[in-house]
Amino acid sequence: MASIGTPMTGMNPESSGAWAALLETWSSRAREISAGGGEKRIRREHERGKMTARERVAALLDTADDFLEIGTFAGYGMYGDEGGCPAGGTVMGLGHVSGRLCMVVANDATVKAGAWFPITAKKNLRAQEIALENHLPIIYLVDSAGVFLPMQDEIFPDRDHFGRIFRNNAVLSARGVPQIAAIMGSCVAGGAYLPIMSDEALIVEGTGSVFLAGPFLVRAAIGEDVDSETLGGAATHSRISGVTDYEMPDDTTCLETIRDLVSRFGARPLAGFERSEPAEPAFPVEDLFGLVPVEGHAAFDTHEVLARIIDADSWTEYKAGYGQTLLTGYARIDGWSVGIVANQRKTVKARAGRKAHTDEMQAGGVIYSDSADKAARFIMVCNQKRIPLVFLQDVTGFMVGTRAEQGGIIKDGAKMVNAVANSVVPKFTVVTGNSFGAGNYAMCGRAYDPRLMLAWPTARIAVMGGNQAAETLLQIQVAKLSRQGMEPDRLKQDELLRSIRARYEETTSPYYAAARMWVDEIIDPTVTRRWISTGIEMADHNPHMEPFRTGALQT
């Protein structure tokens, strides 16, 4: 093991100021989202004797500060015509309940009465995916009016739409993953299956109700007049139908009972990922704001970034002098043994291909042939040793050009992608800067099943960088106009370029990605260690691991 990094002699005021502005934007947007449907709707819930979704989650957990929220920005800016859908109408995340790490999902009734938008389904499916992959207990706090009917065609019929939720209920139960559901408000139509297909269901008197068709639909369908309580209230389902297991007088008692139920879970086998006594990083994590540029173009040494994230004196670098545009090595994060694959941003020696000579060139987050070869081998070794992998993405893509192509960059890149795709140990991805093109794939982007995918506010996710994309799109647009006999002059081209770049940049922002759940959460860089540590604790719940196979991977 070795120490890495050097002390900072002083904070760059320009970098520090840029980061402060970035984090203020992030935190102010998160605060706005946490208000849900607004003060008026929150007050209405309280008047009905109900807690809000966030209050319920806080009361359920051992400590409210323990919560790691996932999908805060889900739906952000996506439903302007429908009045918005803060956090996708659902509060969801990881936290400890009676000492057990759990996935908690709570409908936010202040947002369209908890109705399900398309992004709501996607977010809930992500919660179940995390629970299933990690054998993590999942707790549903149900309070929803059902599918948002104006958008039913985007949420009801497809493979990963609303019905998949109940399919997953059945699969989770069959795999022995505990599911507890509390009916704390409305639970209507198809949504009624979610709590009842869970292992145990609680219902709150006076506010909880569950039925396949509400009073209005019953009247329309069969002409029967009936009120909600008689049709599907707590007394009906706890004393007559037997649909629910526990009848609760109020929200507080309901949440206390869930804590009691979780406290009775028996011990289960763990995967056994290695963990030693945690140690703090060698240097203050706040140094990151002076090291990592807000704009993803400047060069910096990624070793310095790692020195503010990993445990002090825990770094053992793999093939340090080879393939230097990627850093690979063993480290510890909060005591957990991990393998790290991180893009290097400083000027290093890089080899374009197997037949090309070595040149001194700017790394800039580019993956070269030797880097890809090194990473593929390191990933395979980590799988053999059952060591979780952490990817720190700041990648502009694979090297291009004649030398790289003749040197076999496609084949070397394919080896790395193959190793990532077939990896069986838990993978965790943090997008710290750029995440462009096939580099996103090779560095374990969303399509490659990281257990958690996180982004710093500096993240940019796209098929290519904004400048390159804008120039490419401009050439296409100019060629099209020229064919129509309307070739634009230089001034018009500059105007077109600015317009194209602005549109493109908007779609590459971390908020655009988080709104669509391409990343699980946008996080403050200073809590990166906590997220990764909790992620490995989560993954440790699943002891089952398939043998590592690489298929057509060629060495």
Side-chain angles (χ1 to χ4, degrees):
M1 292 187 295
S3 59
I4 57 171
T6 55
M8 286 189 66
T9 56
M11 183 69 75
N12 181 334
E14 184 177 343
S15 176
S16 178
W19 264 104
L22 206 64
L23 289 171
E24 175 54 33
T25 297
W26 165 76
S27 61
S28 65
R29 291 179 179 180
R31 286 194 300 271
E32 181 182 349
I33 288 168
S34 68
E39 285 300 321
K40 183 178 178 181
R41 289 184 173 86
I42 291 172
R43 190 164 55 251
R44 186 172 63 187
E45 293 298 295
H46 289 164
E47 289 169 353
R48 297 174 64 193
K50 297 167 63 178
M51 296 179 178
T52 65
R54 293 183 184 278
E55 290 167 344
R56 288 167 175 167
V57 171
L60 176 68
L61 300 178
D62 294 347
T63 57
D65 293 340
D66 179 48
F67 192 51
L68 290 180
E69 186 167 355
I70 294 172
T72 301
F73 292 90
Y76 184 76
M78 290 178 63
Y79 303 109
D81 292 342
E82 304 297 341
C85 186
T90 303
V91 180
M92 150 187 148
L94 302 168
H96 291 85
V97 178
S98 297
R100 279 292 187 98
L101 185 63
C102 296
M103 169 62 71
V104 181
V105 185
N107 298 117
D108 187 348
T110 71
V111 179
K112 295 287 194 300
W116 287 60
F117 282 67
I119 197 65
T120 315
K122 188 171 185 177
K123 185 171 177 177
N124 279 262
L125 286 169
R126 178 62 180 144
Q128 291 181 319
E129 179 182 43
I130 291 171
L132 183 62
E133 192 169 33
N134 299 287
H135 285 200
L136 201 65
I138 184 167
I139 299 168
Y140 309 100
L141 306 179
V142 185
D143 192 347
S144 171
V147 168
F148 185 63
L149 289 178
M151 304 186 79
Q152 65 84 25
D153 59 318
E154 297 179 47
I155 187 175
F156 174 70
D158 209 348
R159 178 185 181 274
D160 290 320
H161 282 179
F162 196 51
R164 190 78 172 181
I165 301 286
F166 320 128
R167 175 265 186 193
N168 288 349
N169 283 136
V171 172
L172 283 159
S173 186
R175 301 277 177 86
V177 179
Q179 298 176 90
I180 296 175
I183 302 164
M184 308 181 80
S186 297
C187 189
V188 184
Y193 287 106
L194 185 149
I196 308 311
M197 292 188 71
S198 298
D199 300 311
E200 293 181 284
L202 305 85
I203 187 167
V204 178
E205 296 173 5
T207 56
S209 60
V210 55
F211 29 63
L212 292 180
F216 293 116
L217 184 53
V218 167
R219 187 180 304 117
I222 63 174
E224 179 184 358
D225 283 317
V226 62
D227 61 83
S228 293
E229 276 297 307
T230 304
L231 185 64
T236 293
H237 286 310
S238 298
R239 306 174 199 176
I240 301 173
S241 73
V243 165
T244 54
D245 306 305
Y246 306 94
E247 185 177 359
M248 299 285 104
D250 51 44
D251 279 10
T252 300
T253 308
C254 182
L255 296 168
E256 288 173 351
T257 303
I258 294 173
R259 290 180 52 79
D260 175 68
L261 294 172
V262 174
S263 74
R264 299 171 187 273
F265 288 174
R268 292 173 181 253
L270 300 175
F273 298 121
E274 204 276 328
R275 190 181 195 187
S276 63
E277 186 67 26
E280 290 297 314
F283 305 104
V285 68
E286 290 78 14
D287 287 356
L288 291 171
F289 302 135
L291 289 167
V292 180
V294 168
E295 297 296 333
H297 308 299
F300 60 91
D301 189 351
T302 303
H303 287 102
E304 299 290 346
V305 174
L306 292 178
R308 275 80 183 170
I309 294 175
I310 66 174
D311 294 10
D313 301 322
S314 69
W315 178 246
T316 301
E317 190 157 354
Y318 175 84
K319 291 184 181 289
Y322 178 71
Q324 295 179 56
T325 67
L326 274 177
L327 302 183
T328 51
Y330 303 105
R332 291 188 182 276
I333 294 179
D334 198 29
W336 293 104
S337 172
V338 298
I340 290 179
V341 182
N343 300 108
Q344 175 61 289
R345 291 301 304 254
K346 75 169 188 175
T347 300
V348 295
K349 289 185 180 295
R351 191 163 62 98
R354 287 185 293 275
K355 299 177 183 178
H357 65 275
T358 301
D359 284 333
E360 186 88 9
M361 54 184 68
Q362 180 74 31
V366 178
I367 301 176
Y368 289 79
S369 286
D370 53 355
S371 308
D373 174 67
K374 175 175 78 169
R377 291 174 182 274
F378 180 69
I379 291 164
M380 287 189 283
V381 172
C382 285
N383 273 272
Q384 286 188 324
K385 295 180 177 181
R386 295 171 64 93
I387 298 175
L389 286 159
V390 176
F391 294 82
L392 297 180
Q393 284 196 11
D394 191 353
V395 57
T396 52
F398 285 90
M399 188 58 189
V400 297
T402 304
R403 181 183 295 173
E405 297 292 358
Q406 292 179 354
I409 186 66
I410 294 176
K411 185 174 183 179
D412 290 324
K415 287 194 297 185
M416 183 177 174
V417 170
N418 197 318
V420 173
N422 286 295
S423 185
V424 296
V425 296
K427 306 184 292 277
F428 302 90
T429 301
V430 184
V431 185
T432 65
N434 298 320
S435 178
F436 295 158
N440 171 283
Y441 302 159
M443 291 294 292
C444 197
R446 176 60 101 198
Y448 291 80
D449 299 323
R451 298 291 176 99
L452 291 172
M453 185 161 178
L454 310 167
W456 290 0
T458 44
R460 311 295 294 187
I461 301 174
V463 72
M464 65 178 71
N467 288 333
Q468 300 96 314
E471 291 286 353
T472 302
L473 292 168
L474 176 66
Q475 292 175 41
I476 294 170
Q477 186 70 11
V478 168
K480 179 181 178 181
L481 291 170
S482 296
R483 287 194 299 270
Q484 297 171 353
M486 298 182 293
E487 186 166 351
D489 57 25
R490 187 68 257 174
L491 191 64
K492 182 64 175 175
Q493 287 188 38
D494 289 344
E495 186 182 316
L496 274 170
L497 184 63
R498 283 192 297 271
S499 174
I500 292 168
R501 184 181 288 122
R503 289 199 307 272
Y504 192 86
E505 288 294 331
E506 181 185 351
T507 63
T508 67
S509 84
Y511 299 102
Y512 192 91
R516 290 152 182 80
M517 295 293 292
W518 300 343
V519 298
D520 291 311
E521 189 67 12
I522 304 172
I523 66 170
D524 182 329
T526 61
V527 298
T528 303
R529 277 171 54 85
R530 181 185 170 200
W531 273 91
I532 294 172
S533 176
T534 303
I536 300 174
E537 178 192 351
M538 170 185 79
D540 202 37
H541 280 70
N542 186 353
H544 306 296
M545 198 176 300
E546 295 292 327
F548 177 63
R549 303 182 181 90
T550 56
L553 182 68
Q554 299 177 26
T555 58

